[in-house]
């Protein structure tokens, strides 16, 4: 559980990543895209691009993001 002062701030969408053993997360929102490998204890900012939603494809290293007037594909 996160306390009130930890974490990346508000994000509109959070998704678990396939093959991440329930600990790898990708989150997006107006402040950008963040990534965690430890269940959300520590987050890394990977992009300042604003998106509202993210959908991670099962058994893949691809995610689709949507925002105001834009759609993007992310791979890792």
């Amino acid at each position: 559980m996160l306390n009130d002062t930890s974490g990346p701030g508000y994000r509109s969408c959070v998704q678990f990543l396939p093959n991440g053993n329930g600990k790898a997360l990708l989150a997006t929102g107006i402040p950008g895209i963040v990534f965690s490998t430890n269940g959300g204890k520590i987050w890394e900012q990977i992009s300042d691009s604003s998106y509202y939603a993210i959908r991670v494809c099962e058994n893949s290293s691809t995610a689709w993001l949507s925002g105001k007037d834009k759609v993007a594909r992310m791979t890792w």
Side-chain angles (χ1 to χ4, degrees):
M1 183 168 134
L2 298 176
N3 64 38
D4 291 338
T5 59
S6 64
Y10 177 78
R11 295 297 190 265
S12 53
C13 190
V14 179
Q15 293 277 295
F16 284 100
L17 299 180
N19 305 317
N21 296 321
K23 295 189 182 257
L25 299 157
L26 196 57
T28 190
I30 298 300
I33 304 167
V34 291
F35 174 70
S36 176
T37 58
N38 58 11
K41 292 179 185 172
I42 298 172
W43 293 90
E44 177 185 348
Q45 183 91 16
I46 59 174
S47 174
D48 291 330
S49 296
S50 297
Y51 291 95
Y52 303 137
I54 187 167
R55 175 68 173 139
V56 177
C57 301
E58 283 188 46
N59 302 317
S60 175
S61 58
T62 302
W64 289 93
L65 299 104
S66 62
K68 181 175 171 56
D69 301 322
K70 62 183 174 180
V71 174
R73 183 178 67 155
M74 177 182 200
T75 57
W76 58 90

